[in-house]
Amino acid sequence: MPELKTRWDIFCTVVDNFGDIGVTWRLARQLVAEHGLAVRLWVDDLRAFERLCPEIDTHAAQQWQQGVEVRQWPAEWQPTEAADVVIAAFACQLPSAYMDAMAEREKTPLWMNLDYLSAEDWVIGCHGLPSVKYKSVQKFFFFPGFQRGTGGLIRESGLLERRRQFQQDPQAQKVFLQGLGVDRAPDANLISLFAYENTGLASWLDAMAGDSTSTHLLVPEGRILGDVERWLGVEGLAAGAVHVREALTVQVLPFVRQDQYDELLWCCDFNAVRGEDSFVRAQWAGRPFLWHIYRQEEDIHLDKLDAFLELYIKGLSDPAREAISGLWRAWNVGEKMADHWQFTRKHWPELEKHAEAWCLEQALQADLATALVQFYGNWI
Ligand code: TRH
């Protein structure tokens, strides 16, 4: 008789943007592909999902995508058997009937809250601790993170090898970029820009336009386009648009599928990323990057930014530390970027080496999917 697979349910509510679905979709695929689990991914907004994975049928209550059973999380919950392991992503509230189903199971399920990523020290102390209880079912905190004692980061098996191969293959990069309509000039720096609205953008664009080296800036369609339009003095920017201002070429890209976005990051010399998932993927790209952190009330996101910077800049020379910290802080408070950018450019070779070293150091940790599976293994 074939061995029954352990069943996992992942619940995702799309609060806004793409990070919630971006993280849970990656995780679900990896649990299926690398750990042989039966995974159901419950999502309340299939339209956001479709942007990352165009095969999604936004009207289907149930569908299989890359081995994952994708379920529309209905407004009216239908009776459903609870799984062996239940992950509530980012503190989303499970349907109460489902919680009852968990409590009624003969074998109590493992219930975890997958939290947002943070480099703050307190995460280490809280990772894996019991949280609330519902009847007999105990919930646990599961924190991703950068340091030993956390749940690690999502990293698929063989990811870094694939990335390195791609980065060593100019022809593969050329074909990929051409598929997006990008013809990279050989001497131009290639930069990707994925960010929230930012008043600091204009001065960064000014600096790139006035630089002695040319820059080709790739901007996937999204929230930053309004600031780009204002700087260019145009309206209605859409995928395919190309505008040249002095040394700067600005090109708008379509929002690509999630795997292609990785390849885009791998092609670029520098990546501006945001939120949680693209932030992690930029680190696996092994290239210098700029993080636009998701804004939170009372500016608590700035503490999170500093906590990450504190870890990230270890091992850099003092001037390079100052350069990258200055650039990141300016970007996150919408200040002028030009001086910080020029300062950063001076330390380029060091920052490039450092980005690769940071990536390798992070890859020494167990990845998040493996850590979750180990947590379950230790719990049963
Ligand atoms: O979209 P985000 O801003 O998501 C945010 C953060 O996760 C934040 O922490 C959370 O609180 C908030 O959502 C609700 O940024 P993030 O996390 O980088 O997610 C973007 C996803 O979109 C990521 O999986 C990469 C993917 N993506 C593509 O698939 N194609 C693209 O062209 C681009 C630009 C991104």
Side-chain angles (χ1 to χ4, degrees), residues 16-20 22 116 196 255-256 258 274-278:
D16 59 2
N17 303 311
F18 303 102
D20 308 294
Y116 283 110
Y196 308 112
F255 194 91
V256 294
Q258 209 180 31
R274 72 183 204 193
E276 176 157 334
D277 189 56
S278 57

Side-chain angles (χ1 to χ4, degrees), residues 185-304:
D187 54 350
N189 284 317
L190 198 62
I191 297 185
S192 75
L193 172 61
F194 180 46
Y196 308 112
E197 298 78 2
N198 196 316
T199 49
L201 180 69
S203 77
W204 188 21
L205 298 180
D206 285 342
M208 289 191 272
D211 204 341
S212 54
T213 314
S214 41
T215 300
H216 194 152
L217 185 72
L218 304 176
V219 193
E221 282 182 313
R223 290 174 56 175
I224 192 82
L225 275 195
D227 293 312
V228 178
E229 284 177 350
R230 265 185 292 285
W231 185 78
L232 287 170
V234 299
E235 277 178 17
L237 275 186
V242 181
H243 292 264
V244 181
R245 296 285 184 276
E246 299 171 75
L248 175 64
T249 301
V250 178
Q251 180 164 3
V252 182
L253 299 186
F255 194 91
V256 294
R257 46 184 313 127
Q258 209 180 31
D259 298 331
Q260 284 189 316
Y261 182 62
D262 269 346
E263 291 181 341
L264 177 67
L265 297 174
W266 299 349
C267 285
C268 290
D269 303 297
F270 186 80
N271 293 299
V273 288
R274 72 183 204 193
E276 176 157 334
D277 189 56
S278 57
F279 166 56
V280 172
R281 303 316 277 189
Q283 295 170 58
W284 297 137
R287 298 270 163 89
F289 67 104
L290 171 63
W291 182 27
H292 202 182
I293 191 169
Y294 186 76
R295 212 190 174 111
Q296 286 178 288
E297 273 171 29
E298 294 173 21
D299 282 348
I300 55 169
H301 60 287
L302 295 179
D303 295 335
K304 291 188 179 172

